[in-house]
Amino acid sequence: MILLALFLISGLGLGYLLSLRIKFIESVFERLAFSIILGFAFSTLTCFAFSMWFGALSPFSIGLSILLNIALCLILIRIGKPVKQLFEINIKIGKTGPAEIALFALFVIMLYFNSLSLYEDEEGNIRGIANTWADYALHAGIINSFALRDNFPPIYPNLADAPMRYPFLVDFLSAIFVKEGIALIPSITFTNLLLIFTLLTLTFAFLKRFLGNRQIAALAMILFFLNGNLGFQYFFDDFNAAPDKAEFLSKLPRAYSSYPEKNLQFMNLIFSVFIPQRAALMGFPLVMLLFIFLWRIYKKEAERLEFLLAGFCLSLLPLIHASSFGVALGMSASIFAFRTLKDRIISPNWAIFLLPVLLIALPLLMFINEQQRSDNFFGWQPGWMSKANSLPGEGNLFIKFWLDNAGFTLILGVIGLFFLKREQLFFSLPLLMLFVLANLIRFQPWEWDNTKVLMYWYFALAAIAAIALQKVYLPVAKKNKAASLGVISIIILICIFSG
């Protein structure tokens, strides 16, 4: 337990000392989220490297990671602020208003479902909500294999001698907890709690910078995290047909954003990605931090250190979330191209960006290449799953499929494109292009897993849709503020109802 505390404190301290060198952080919450995601991701990666070297996750490998953290902290203190200033913590909470209230509500919602993701019943059985029963069985096996079975080099715990292809770093973090005496369930739910905080905080931090408005950023987060589709029409059909309305509402027969029989495949992201797929819970906030750096690079506001940290964020992703790494790599390349074409010169700061990529990401990619050998991992699949349940003679249902699956947010997003500033359009263009790629190429053996790529397209779509909502609100608010709030509330409800 003492070793675990030192591991967490040293990792958090390393992240905190790095955050002190970043000038754009606006509140203690942003600083804490920055410290958690960078400090813990790096510490977990180094602990895994030491464990691989010695063939076991042990107090020795954890201790080496702690010593490395301490050494790096001392270096940062040496070249950074005087020691006395390190403890002058800036308790700047930031503004508190409707946007922050919405952010807190999302945090409570995700914490509630996190508490249900894995729990022990009265008979000692481990249970979970519907979408975690399969994923968390794998996660639990991976965690225990590292903590209890010295699974190095990693193989799947349920497939004999099969090299592990799943990005497992978040599970390795939980394995450190288990190794130090923490039970399996809290090792998962507690780390989830920390990552949910970083997920929401860093997503909001990026959106308010990209959109230039806290309220619009909050709207975008509501549309993204509570996303729904046109599945609500089937809710009303079932509700009208139910003999006992109260019992129907208390025990819904299905999640209405996921209805495969009606070809509703793009379901609510909290239920389909962020709670069951723990890799995304660590990968997405790291990408949001990278996006903040890239946005500042694109606007020529970034300092040299920010190029280094942007490359550092990208380099940590291969063992955290493969789909996020692919998106982040493409986004970084796009910003490099946009900036270089506009300036007509390659900034030497991009060499600094590449430094951690060469030192960290390249060895990780080589390791993954040794682990992952599959001839049919990628494939050509035009239309993604739009034809999954089409009947003979129905023709191409692609447009209907996406109207059903993305719902009214898709319409708002298309409208919002006409209101984007030039810099917003160019920055979001690579993310919007993911829609085209994911509807042509299957990025994983199971086609549904394209959702892990499509969620970044939908993230950009939600941000643009929030701009459209603002344009609807402003002219009506000048005449009748109450009516404008009512209209906006109805539109948002339509967008998220099935989610």
Side-chain angles (χ1 to χ4, degrees):
M1 290 289 287
I2 294 176
L3 207 59
L4 176 61
L6 290 174
F7 177 83
L8 296 176
I9 292 170
S10 65
L12 190 64
L14 177 60
Y16 171 71
L17 289 169
L18 281 171
S19 76
L20 289 179
R21 304 180 67 82
I22 300 299
K23 296 179 181 179
F24 62 76
I25 293 178
E26 296 180 357
S27 72
V28 68
F29 297 118
E30 288 187 8
R31 192 174 302 282
L32 181 58
F34 180 103
S35 304
I36 290 172
I37 196 64
L38 276 189
F40 288 175
F42 177 75
S43 302
T44 306
L45 180 61
T46 58
C47 187
F48 171 73
F50 289 129
S51 299
M52 276 285 291
W53 184 267
F54 295 104
L57 173 58
S58 65
F60 184 66
S61 60
I62 298 172
L64 286 176
S65 181
I66 293 170
L67 290 176
L68 178 59
N69 286 343
I70 293 172
L72 292 173
C73 286
L74 292 175
I75 292 172
L76 288 172
I77 290 172
R78 179 79 175 177
I79 64 176
K81 296 184 177 183
V83 175
K84 65 177 182 178
Q85 292 185 25
L86 299 179
F87 302 98
E88 296 175 1
I89 301 175
N90 180 15
I91 310 297
K92 182 181 178 183
I93 304 298
K95 297 180 181 179
T96 302
E100 286 68 31
I101 293 172
L103 190 64
F104 180 73
L106 286 173
F107 183 64
V108 172
I109 291 170
M110 293 193 73
L111 283 190
Y112 171 71
F113 289 111
N114 178 52
S115 69
L116 298 177
S117 63
L118 210 60
Y119 62 92
E120 190 172 317
D121 65 16
E122 296 177 353
E123 299 177 355
N125 300 308
I126 296 179
R127 298 182 176 273
I129 54 178
N131 274 26
T132 62
W133 69 270
D135 291 82
Y136 274 32
L138 175 63
H139 288 302
I142 292 173
I143 292 166
N144 284 333
S145 74
F146 285 129
L148 308 177
R149 195 162 58 84
D150 295 333
N151 185 15
F152 302 98
I155 61 173
Y156 282 111
N158 55 343
L159 298 172
D161 297 327
M164 193 182 299
R165 297 166 180 164
Y166 189 84
F168 52 78
L169 205 64
V170 67
D171 288 330
F172 193 81
L173 175 58
S174 292
I176 296 171
F177 278 71
V178 173
K179 192 69 177 182
E180 289 303 302
I182 304 298
L184 176 65
I185 293 177
S187 78
I188 293 175
T189 54
F190 178 71
T191 51
N192 283 1
L193 183 153
L194 295 176
L195 293 173
I196 287 169
F197 169 77
T198 64
L199 170 70
L200 296 176
T201 303
L202 292 176
T203 302
F204 183 66
F206 167 69
L207 284 172
K208 70 181 181 182
R209 289 168 172 83
F210 176 69
L211 297 172
N213 185 289
R214 306 170 78 86
Q215 282 68 39
I216 303 176
L219 279 177
M221 291 190 67
I222 291 170
L223 294 175
F224 178 66
F225 286 106
L226 301 182
N227 69 297
N229 48 39
L230 297 189
F232 63 81
Q233 60 186 308
Y234 304 111
F235 165 82
F236 288 114
D237 290 343
D238 291 347
F239 178 77
N240 292 330
D244 189 332
K245 310 299 185 187
E247 182 180 0
F248 172 82
L249 292 175
S250 64
K251 297 179 180 179
L252 294 177
R254 61 175 52 88
Y256 284 94
S257 68
S258 175
Y259 201 159
E261 294 82 359
K262 304 294 184 181
N263 215 11
L264 291 175
Q265 307 287 354
F266 193 75
M267 67 181 297
N268 177 266
L269 292 169
I270 292 178
F271 287 108
S272 63
V273 177
F274 292 115
I275 294 299
Q277 300 182 38
R278 303 185 69 230
L281 202 54
M282 180 179 274
F284 198 89
L286 200 56
V287 172
M288 290 298 103
L289 183 56
L290 172 62
F291 280 6
I292 294 174
F293 289 129
L294 291 178
W295 177 242
R296 288 175 56 80
I297 290 170
Y298 182 71
K299 296 180 69 178
K300 300 189 73 171
E301 296 174 353
E303 299 179 349
R304 183 171 296 179
L305 177 62
E306 295 177 46
F307 281 83
L308 179 66
L309 290 176
F312 186 57
C313 290
L314 176 64
S315 301
L316 292 172
L317 283 166
L319 278 187
I320 293 177
H321 194 228
S323 298
S324 290
F325 174 71
V327 170
L329 182 63
M331 190 69 178
S332 300
S334 299
I335 298 305
F336 166 76
F338 288 152
R339 193 69 269 163
T340 301
L341 288 173
K342 191 170 185 179
D343 295 340
R344 297 185 179 182
I345 188 173
I346 299 176
S347 169
N349 287 332
W350 285 105
I352 300 172
F353 176 92
L354 283 175
L355 183 62
V357 175
L358 296 175
L359 294 178
I360 301 174
L362 189 58
L364 290 179
L365 291 171
M366 293 172 65
F367 169 75
I368 292 170
N369 184 58
E370 289 297 317
Q371 293 285 100
Q372 186 166 295
R373 299 288 175 85
S374 177
D375 295 331
N376 63 343
F377 198 83
F378 301 97
W380 179 256
Q381 189 164 333
W384 188 42
M385 299 181 74
S386 60
K387 300 178 183 179
N389 288 302
S390 60
L391 299 175
E394 284 188 319
N396 191 342
L397 301 178
F398 181 77
I399 296 176
K400 180 181 183 302
F401 171 81
W402 275 112
L403 285 172
D404 287 345
N405 278 269
F408 200 61
T409 304
L410 178 59
I411 298 172
L412 288 173
V414 173
I415 296 171
L417 285 172
F418 296 97
F419 299 106
L420 283 178
K421 297 177 182 177
R422 184 181 178 85
E423 61 186 13
Q424 291 173 324
L425 176 61
F426 278 104
F427 189 86
S428 58
L429 193 59
L431 297 176
L432 296 175
M433 287 300 296
L434 292 173
F435 178 79
V436 177
L437 291 175
N439 278 283
L440 291 175
I441 301 169
R442 172 176 51 77
F443 288 99
Q444 296 195 38
W446 185 29
E447 63 268 22
W448 188 88
D449 276 339
N450 270 23
T451 302
K452 300 172 186 178
V453 174
L454 284 165
M455 71 174 178
Y456 284 101
W457 158 73
Y458 192 83
F459 173 72
L461 183 74
I464 298 169
I467 294 175
L469 282 174
Q470 183 205 31
K471 298 301 180 182
V472 171
Y473 171 79
L474 289 176
V476 181
K478 292 179 180 179
K479 300 178 181 179
N480 190 322
K481 190 172 183 178
S484 65
L485 288 173
V487 170
I488 292 297
S489 298
I490 292 171
I491 294 174
I492 292 173
L493 186 62
I494 293 172
C495 291
I496 69 174
F497 190 79
S498 66

